[in-house]
Each structure stands twice: as C-alpha cells, then as structure tokens.
Amino acid sequence: TQAADLLTQKSLEGKSWAEIDWRRNGLFTVFGFAYQGCFQYYLYVTLFSRWFAGAARFVNQPLSVKLTDYAGQRDVLKQIAFDVLIHPIWFFPMYYTLKEALCGHPSLFDGESPAAI
C-alpha cells in the first residue's frame, strides 16, 4: 500500500519529491503492514481455517463432487458472507482511527497530546 500511495502521489497527483505527503505515505505503510499484512494473514489463514473448516476441502474437490457437497457449499457461503458483511465493520474504523492518529491535528507527531479527562 505504501508503494501504491507513492505512485498515486507522483503520477496521478503530479507531486514532486518535495511535495510528497510523507505522513499519508506513512499511514499506508503502517496500515498495510499491521492490518493488511499481519492481522489479515491471521484472519484468513488461521481463523478462517478454524471457523470454516470444510471450505478448504471443498475448493480442492472436482466440480462433480462440489455439486453434491452441501456442507462444503455452506462453509464457502459463510466465508463469503463474513468477508463481505462482517469484516468491513472493523476494517474501516481501524483505518480511519489510525489515519486520525497519524494525520489528524493534533497527531501523534505533533509533540504533546492533550490529556484525556
């Protein structure tokens, strides 16, 4: 995501190297590594294989077997439903919270933050 943002700023927005928004680029670096790298790997590899155990078996079967494997079909549909309906519920709040922390004013980079009471 960091490289994509840098490409966007250089080619689409036409910024020079001096005009690059490095805070924004840093946001995409941190978010890409922490959420899209670490967390989503854990979600899709570890948790999905536990929650939807029949899905991996199902996708490796020939089509003729898939047509009669209703348990596998249900697992794949549950996996798709989770990815489309549930996952975005925390994806966007996490992104915008991190964006506000890194790029908002005051941000984590502006020195002292006001104390919460």
Side-chain angles (χ1 to χ4, degrees), residues 6 9-10 13-23:
L6 195 57
Q9 290 191 55
K10 287 293 289 171
E13 296 175 12
K15 292 182 178 180
S16 68
W17 285 105
E19 298 172 318
I20 296 291
D21 184 351
W22 291 109
R23 277 192 182 181

Side-chain angles (χ1 to χ4, degrees), residues 19-92:
E19 298 172 318
I20 296 291
D21 184 351
W22 291 109
R23 277 192 182 181
R24 184 177 106 179
N25 194 261
L27 164 69
F28 282 107
T29 302
V30 171
F31 187 72
F33 173 76
Y35 186 81
Q36 293 181 313
C38 298
F39 176 74
Q40 283 190 342
Y41 176 85
Y42 179 72
L43 174 69
Y44 289 119
V45 174
T46 306
L47 296 179
F48 270 33
S49 64
R50 287 184 202 158
W51 296 340
F52 313 109
R57 177 191 45 78
F58 177 80
V59 298
N60 291 317
Q61 296 173 341
L63 181 60
S64 59
V65 177
K66 287 179 185 177
L67 295 174
T68 58
D69 184 0
Y70 300 114
Q73 291 173 12
R74 278 192 300 276
D75 273 346
V76 169
L77 289 175
K78 284 190 259 182
Q79 194 173 17
I80 292 168
F82 181 90
D83 202 32
V84 172
L85 301 172
I86 307 299
H87 189 208
I89 291 172
W90 67 68
F91 176 88
F92 291 109

